[in-house]
Amino acid sequence: LGRVGIIGAGPAGLAQAIAIRRLVGADVELVVIDKSDQLRPALGGGVQLNSGAAVLARLGLGAAVKRVGQPISRVHARTVDHTTLLDLDLAGAIRQHPRAAESGIVDRDGDVLAVTMMRDALQAMLASALPAGTIALERELVGARAARSGRVLASFADGSDDEFDLLIGADGIRSVLRGELARGALGGLAAPLYTGLRIRWGVAPAGLRPPNSQAELHQWFGPGAYCLTATYGGLAGEKFDQVVLVRAEPGTEGERSGVNAGWSTSDVRESMVRDLTAAAMPEHVLELARRCERCFELGSYQHVPFTPWSGLGGAAVLVGDAAHAMPPFLGQGTNQAIQDAYCLALHLAAYQRGQVPSLADALGAYAAERQLPTARLALNSRVLGFVETSLPELARDSFFRFTSATGIARTVFLDGAIPKV
């Protein structure tokens, strides 16, 4: 590998660059390319990190994860009348897993690496681990094709072209590179599919949730509505509270596919408060929603599993949401993207050492290792989203009581929380 281009400077792309530098070698020429004009603070909401945090620790970022992240030890799920459906000791479940220490999810200090973190804080943490000049902004990929040289020729919106030995698409759910890999092979399967679920969320300075709840994820279930409240670590040691509302809104997304769908923050906040009120959510949840300083709205999408992740002569590959976008109900999107990055770097290192016949073989081995676990998590997340928002209340509540009592909920959580790579 001489020159590697990574499209997308989100957590997936930045983690990929770090993993290649640490596992393949610092002599690989790396450039992370993003269409934005800056790595924007105060953009987006928070993420949950567990298996991804363990992998970042292997890459030398364990101390940073613990410094920035808000530790999470419990999930408490209740109906709006305060009936408990699930009370899961996350930290205890992780500690008891036979691979807890081996996988790194419990570190050498005995700390469980399960945290919440604002997306912009995670992005800043990852960017700071890369050498200056690695990230190239204001370059929008518009196309890519196999070059006669065996490399990939990437084309950008400014009219420029660039060649790479390997082009990695970490450009999210509407990945341009995914579309190029799918051209003529997958047709409509390249596009993300709307799940029929719509998500509104808002972010406020911490301190609005009940006392002593910062280390807990609180889930609330009302008529046709699912709500999550949690506290997240942010930039410069600041913490934030976040409220998330999910409702079933079937049909075609059409023009509403973008962030906020053209609405202002106040529009989304008012809509969210109205729907939370209609679902009879607790007053402290409503107050948190009213106090949110930035709000967002998105449809929930997923990709068809087991579509090709590599192509263009074996010199292009996908990671993260570009490969396997999934609904957010297990909190695994970012975790799986970081695992993709680590897994791909391991296979590239094997190719670099001559242990794999070709780059195409290395990319194929990566996809073979990662497609099944991500497809399983995507399916589980989709089923969970349906149960949380679309089942009649009696059936929904019975589902959670059963999965809690039988340990199924614990098993499903651990399936995502323990690294597979």
Side-chain angles (χ1 to χ4, degrees):
L1 284 176
R3 191 159 191 259
V4 176
I6 301 171
I7 306 300
L14 296 173
Q16 186 66 77
I18 294 167
I20 290 175
R21 282 187 56 81
R22 301 288 168 87
L23 300 178
V24 182
D27 56 333
V28 176
E29 183 185 348
L30 273 174
V31 56
V32 180
I33 301 165
D34 199 275
K35 63 184 179 182
S36 299
D37 59 359
Q38 59 180 311
L39 299 183
R40 298 176 182 173
L43 180 66
V47 299
Q48 298 174 36
L49 291 177
N50 33 66
S51 55
V55 170
L56 290 178
R58 296 181 202 169
L59 295 172
L61 295 173
V65 167
K66 292 200 288 186
R67 182 177 65 253
V68 179
Q70 164 62 49
I72 294 297
S73 59
R74 181 192 188 202
V75 173
H76 193 189
R78 289 165 282 185
T79 63
V80 292
D81 64 2
H82 293 264
T83 299
T84 293
L85 300 177
L86 172 71
D87 194 347
L88 181 58
D89 175 4
L90 296 189
I94 289 172
R95 288 184 187 281
Q96 292 169 15
H97 194 277
R99 292 189 57 244
E102 170 200 340
S103 68
I105 190 71
V106 176
D107 69 12
R108 294 180 179 179
D109 297 329
D111 295 325
V112 174
L113 297 182
V115 303
T116 52
M117 190 182 301
M118 297 303 294
R119 185 185 184 279
D120 59 354
L122 174 60
Q123 187 181 38
M125 182 185 80
L126 297 174
S128 68
L130 292 170
T134 302
I135 302 171
L137 299 175
E138 295 188 275
R139 297 197 75 194
E140 181 179 0
L141 183 74
V142 294
R145 59 182 175 85
R148 291 182 179 178
S149 61
R151 306 173 91 195
V152 172
L153 182 68
S155 300
F156 296 91
D158 62 4
S160 65
D161 294 326
D162 213 342
E163 277 198 10
F164 299 95
D165 296 296
L166 174 62
L167 189 64
I168 302 173
D171 47 342
I173 191 166
R174 301 183 188 283
S175 167
V176 172
L177 187 57
R178 179 184 175 89
E180 293 297 317
L181 297 185
R183 190 184 297 276
L186 299 178
L189 295 182
L193 303 177
Y194 179 49
T195 64
L197 302 175
R198 196 133 188 101
I199 305 168
R200 298 178 181 93
W201 75 99
V203 178
L208 298 171
R209 300 179 66 215
N212 305 315
S213 63
Q214 284 196 341
E216 300 177 356
L217 304 177
H218 288 176
Q219 298 177 323
W220 296 96
F221 296 98
Y226 162 72
C227 176
L228 170 73
T229 63
T231 302
Y232 297 77
L235 295 167
E238 193 173 1
K239 293 185 184 296
F240 295 88
D241 289 340
Q242 179 170 278
V243 57
V244 181
L245 171 68
V246 185
R247 292 175 58 87
E249 296 187 16
T252 303
E253 271 285 83
E255 296 178 355
R256 299 196 310 159
S257 60
V259 174
N260 283 11
W263 293 16
S264 69
T265 287
S266 61
D267 289 332
V268 179
R269 181 171 55 238
E270 289 170 10
S271 174
M272 181 166 58
V273 170
R274 183 175 61 249
D275 287 343
L276 288 168
T277 303
M281 293 294 171
E283 178 57 33
H284 67 84
V285 174
L286 297 175
E287 182 60 20
L288 171 55
R290 295 185 192 107
R291 301 274 292 274
C292 286
E293 297 179 350
R294 58 183 192 267
C295 298
F296 308 87
E297 178 177 354
L298 279 174
S300 171
Y301 288 82
Q302 67 183 84
H303 281 313
V304 175
F306 301 113
T307 54
W309 287 11
S310 62
L312 300 186
V317 69
L318 305 174
V319 297
D321 280 354
H324 51 68
M326 62 184 70
F329 301 100
L330 289 172
Q332 281 300 312
T334 302
N335 289 292
Q336 297 308 308
I338 294 169
Q339 289 191 67
D340 289 348
Y342 188 86
C343 181
L344 177 57
L346 287 176
H347 287 286
L348 293 177
Y351 166 68
Q352 197 82 326
R353 292 191 298 267
Q355 297 171 329
V356 179
S358 69
L359 179 57
D361 288 322
L363 302 186
Y366 150 74
E369 183 173 346
R370 293 296 297 151
Q371 281 187 318
L372 181 58
T374 55
R376 183 174 63 247
L377 284 168
L379 176 61
N380 288 343
S381 186
R382 181 68 186 93
V383 169
L384 187 59
F386 173 78
V387 170
E388 291 175 343
T389 61
S390 302
L391 276 187
E393 292 176 57
L394 179 61
R396 177 200 66 199
D397 297 352
S398 298
F399 172 89
F400 279 102
R401 289 192 179 98
F402 175 77
T403 56
S404 176
T406 57
I408 293 174
R410 184 177 186 270
T411 299
V412 170
F413 164 74
L414 290 172
D415 186 44
I418 304 300
K420 299 291 191 297
V421 297

